[in-house]
Amino acid sequence: MKALIVLIMVSLFLSSCNLSESDTAVSIEVNNSLKGVEITQATDKYDQSQGLFHIRATIRRTGRQHIGNLQLKADYYDAIGNKLAESKVDPENEIKPGDSDDVETTYLFPTVADLPARVVLSANDDSLNEAALRIESAR
């Protein structure tokens, strides 16, 4: 009986050691509005010890059009739809037409209670945003 109790206590201790990284109940949506680019899958992980929320997504180039500066953008929302934050990341390598790459973005949410309820992922061509800003500021 004592051995069983010790075994249960050791098991509980070991399972509590894995709490630094946990799966979350965050809804991830994908917005594939950039022509020629598709986000094919996404996963999330929250690291409680660092307060970092990681999103890993696979970006695939489906078209041949020029993309100046491809980025993965994550918009974070609370349960009632208010935007909390955003993060962006560039792929480490150029993604050529027909290829794909795994990209990860992170954002600091200090506690589990701070986590967003929903994340919307999108692929952006940041060079288009820069060109739009230059046109707007020239007016």
Side-chain angles (χ1 to χ4, degrees), residues 40-41 56-59 72 91-92 95 100-104:
T40 59
Q41 65 181 15
R56 186 171 189 84
T58 302
I59 299 177
L72 174 69
E92 289 185 24
I95 305 173
S100 63
D101 194 16
D102 290 331
V103 180
E104 183 174 310

Side-chain angles (χ1 to χ4, degrees), residues 2 7 11 13 16 18 26 46 63 72 77 83-84 106 117 119-121 123 135:
K2 286 183 183 181
L7 183 61
S11 177
F13 174 75
S16 69
N18 292 330
V26 176
Y46 182 65
L72 174 69
Y77 297 91
K83 186 172 178 179
L84 301 172
T106 60
V119 177
V120 178
L121 295 178
I135 290 170

Side-chain angles (χ1 to χ4, degrees), residues 58-96:
T58 302
I59 299 177
R60 185 169 62 98
R61 289 281 310 274
T62 58
R64 296 210 166 276
Q65 63 274 26
H66 173 74
I67 297 179
N69 185 22
L70 182 62
Q71 290 183 325
L72 174 69
K73 180 181 174 198
D75 292 313
Y76 305 92
Y77 297 91
D78 66 14
I80 58 174
N82 297 317
K83 186 172 178 179
L84 301 172
E86 73 177 45
S87 62
K88 297 178 185 178
V89 66
D90 299 330
E92 289 185 24
N93 304 308
E94 178 184 356
I95 305 173
K96 298 183 185 211

Side-chain angles (χ1 to χ4, degrees), residues 8-129:
I8 290 171
M9 292 183 72
V10 168
S11 177
L12 287 173
F13 174 75
L14 291 175
S15 67
S16 69
C17 291
N18 292 330
L19 291 178
S20 64
E21 290 189 4
S22 62
D23 293 325
T24 62
V26 176
S27 168
I28 298 179
E29 299 174 18
V30 174
N31 176 357
N32 281 322
S33 61
L34 181 60
K35 187 176 180 182
V37 178
E38 181 180 30
I39 299 170
T40 59
Q41 65 181 15
T43 58
D44 66 317
K45 180 74 76 177
Y46 182 65
D47 183 339
Q48 291 179 350
S49 65
Q50 296 181 346
L52 291 175
F53 184 65
H54 302 265
I55 298 178
R56 186 171 189 84
T58 302
I59 299 177
R60 185 169 62 98
R61 289 281 310 274
T62 58
R64 296 210 166 276
Q65 63 274 26
H66 173 74
I67 297 179
N69 185 22
L70 182 62
Q71 290 183 325
L72 174 69
K73 180 181 174 198
D75 292 313
Y76 305 92
Y77 297 91
D78 66 14
I80 58 174
N82 297 317
K83 186 172 178 179
L84 301 172
E86 73 177 45
S87 62
K88 297 178 185 178
V89 66
D90 299 330
E92 289 185 24
N93 304 308
E94 178 184 356
I95 305 173
K96 298 183 185 211
D99 289 345
S100 63
D101 194 16
D102 290 331
V103 180
E104 183 174 310
T105 185
T106 60
Y107 197 84
L108 177 66
F109 291 102
T111 68
V112 174
D114 297 320
L115 285 173
R118 179 173 67 105
V119 177
V120 178
L121 295 178
S122 58
N124 294 324
D125 182 350
D126 197 46
S127 63
L128 296 176
N129 296 337

